[in-house]
Amino acid sequence: MKRPFLFAFALFGGLLFLTAQTPKVRSVEQTLRASRWQKRVLLLAAPTAAQADFKHQKTLLAAAGPALAARDFLVLDVLYNQLTEADKQFLTRKFGIQPPQFAVVLIGKDGGVKQKSSQPIPPADLFGTVDQMPMRREEMRRTKPRQQ
């Protein structure tokens, strides 16, 4: 009598463990909402990771890792072949992005679009835009070493 109960308990416990370990996939909208006031989001939209402009943008950003981190960037790869229809509709409605076009969208911590392009953007241009923002200027003032 105890064996079926133990088996069912072990099976149920194993299922709970597996579902607890499975990361929840957020929608693009949820990710942007969670990043608001926390991160600047650089949204990279492309049909696939093999798309030429997407690969070029990733290469440009790879060399700029510390500068991206210093400016609180979250680089969000948005690949159309991995999106739900709701995510595709959100991108079109919110940013005017039409799959399968490549797009780079810089979203400020306030959630507003600060820069948008259908071509890869050099990191220096992104940083120039960000470094002119009042919130970034305040961040730089706070982290500047105090002179004695």
Side-chain angles (χ1 to χ4, degrees):
M1 198 92 176
K2 289 184 179 180
R3 283 186 186 211
F5 174 74
L6 289 175
F7 176 75
F9 182 75
L11 181 63
F12 181 70
L15 287 174
L16 282 177
F17 176 77
L18 287 176
T19 56
Q21 299 302 312
T22 305
K24 296 191 181 192
V25 178
R26 285 185 178 175
S27 70
V28 174
E29 185 174 10
Q30 289 169 328
T31 300
L32 294 177
R33 193 176 305 127
S35 298
R36 194 167 189 183
W37 303 115
Q38 306 299 313
K39 297 284 185 182
R40 293 176 180 90
V41 178
L42 187 63
L43 190 145
L44 308 179
T48 68
Q51 199 263 353
D53 285 333
F54 179 83
K55 287 171 47 175
H56 182 60
Q57 184 70 69
K58 294 293 277 186
T59 300
L60 291 171
L61 295 173
L68 289 166
R71 290 168 177 84
D72 296 329
F73 266 93
L74 166 66
V75 178
L76 183 60
D77 297 345
V78 177
L79 303 174
Y80 304 133
N81 66 341
Q82 298 175 4
L83 294 180
T84 65
E85 278 305 311
D87 278 337
K88 290 176 188 175
Q89 291 173 4
F90 172 76
L91 291 172
T92 300
R93 183 179 68 251
K94 180 80 173 174
F95 305 112
I97 297 173
Q98 295 289 336
Q101 79 182 48
F102 171 79
V104 180
V105 182
L106 172 60
I107 303 163
K109 286 185 176 183
D110 65 356
V113 173
K114 307 303 181 188
Q115 191 172 0
K116 182 179 169 187
S117 177
S118 60
Q119 301 295 316
I121 302 174
D125 292 352
L126 291 169
F127 301 152
T129 299
V130 169
D131 292 347
Q132 295 302 312
M133 296 177 188
M135 189 178 294
R136 174 64 182 149
R137 288 180 175 214
E138 180 59 30
E139 291 168 358
M140 289 188 293
R141 265 193 293 280
R142 278 188 274 130
T143 60
K144 182 187 262 187
R146 296 187 189 256
Q147 303 206 353
Q148 297 180 4

